[in-house]
Amino acid sequence: MDRLIEITTVPIEIEMKTSRAQLQYTRGTAELEVSRDKGGLSIKSRPIQLNIDTFEMRSSIMPTPTQTVEQNAQEGKQAAYKATATFAQEGELYLKAKLGEGVQLPFAQTALSPKMFSQPALDFIPSEGPDITWDPGEMNIRYEMDKLNFDWRINPNQFEFVPGDIEISVKQRPEVIIKYIGGPLYVPPSADPEYEPVDVQA
């Protein structure tokens, strides 16, 4: 009797890809940024300052009201003292007066005294000069040079490790193929054109 079934097996197919580990080197870079700060020249000068104080000079010609009162009070005191002394001297002369030939009366000497015809002195020229002071001049010169600023940006050398890789892919899955290779089966068997009855002996 021939075989009716054919069984075929298909094995699994696996594809494997591997890559080696690597050490990658990256070269460092450097960047330079230059900025400039501008300087400048500044000059500050102050001229000579002249200070003239003419208060005393003007007061010697035309005193202020306060000074006038003070001066008049002082002169009044001095005039009172002088008048007291003068009257005392004249009174003493009057007491010593004698009548007679060749004798001049004391009151005549007093009346003809130069003091009787004296006039007060008038000042038109200041007796005091102005007070002059001065502050020296000043000059400051400041010069500042330009400044250059250097900004370095350095990226150092870098090493990068790339690990290995294993890639596994299944190309063909395992299979079992069952194939029927026999002839057709008729049900009932008598339907087969080549059917021959079987003799059965009782």
Side-chain angles (χ1 to χ4, degrees):
M1 185 176 181
D2 296 332
R3 294 182 306 161
L4 299 179
I5 296 174
E6 181 181 5
I7 299 175
T8 306
T9 60
V10 179
I12 187 172
E13 183 179 355
I14 298 175
E15 182 180 6
M16 182 181 296
K17 295 181 180 179
T18 61
S19 59
R20 297 180 180 180
Q22 298 179 359
L23 182 62
Q24 296 182 353
Y25 167 74
T26 303
R27 182 174 298 178
T29 59
E31 297 180 0
L32 175 61
E33 182 178 352
V34 181
S35 60
R36 179 178 180 180
D37 296 338
K38 292 184 178 181
L41 175 65
S42 61
I43 300 176
K44 295 182 180 179
S45 63
R46 186 183 65 185
I48 297 175
Q49 184 175 1
L50 183 63
N51 305 317
I52 302 177
D53 186 4
T54 59
F55 178 77
E56 297 295 336
M57 183 184 69
R58 288 184 287 105
S59 297
S60 64
I61 300 175
M62 184 180 296
T64 62
T66 303
Q67 291 178 334
T68 302
V69 173
E70 292 178 355
Q71 292 176 2
N72 291 337
Q74 186 68 25
E75 290 176 358
K77 290 181 181 180
Q78 293 179 359
Y81 294 149
K82 289 181 181 180
T84 302
T86 302
F87 290 146
Q89 292 177 357
E90 291 178 355
E92 186 178 356
L93 291 175
Y94 290 140
L95 292 175
K96 293 180 180 179
K98 295 179 180 180
L99 296 176
E101 294 182 359
V103 177
Q104 189 175 6
L105 294 177
F107 70 87
Q109 297 177 359
T110 304
L112 298 175
S113 175
K115 296 181 180 179
M116 300 299 295
F117 301 96
S118 63
Q119 296 179 355
L122 299 178
D123 293 335
F124 295 98
I125 299 176
S127 60
E128 296 287 340
D131 185 10
I132 301 176
T133 60
W134 60 282
D135 298 331
E138 183 180 357
M139 177 176 288
N140 295 325
I141 300 176
R142 181 180 179 182
Y143 174 72
E144 186 176 356
M145 299 179 61
D146 295 350
K147 296 181 180 179
L148 293 178
N149 302 319
F150 298 91
D151 186 10
W152 288 94
R153 299 177 182 177
I154 299 176
N155 296 324
N157 300 335
Q158 296 181 355
F159 294 90
E160 183 181 0
F161 175 74
V162 179
D165 186 22
I166 299 176
E167 182 180 353
I168 299 175
S169 60
V170 178
K171 291 287 187 177
Q172 177 65 47
R173 295 181 180 182
E175 292 181 333
V176 177
I177 301 174
I178 300 173
K179 184 178 181 182
Y180 177 74
I181 60 174
L185 298 176
Y186 294 96
V187 177
S190 60
D192 186 5
E194 298 180 357
Y195 175 74
E196 294 181 357
V198 179
D199 293 336
V200 177
Q201 296 179 0

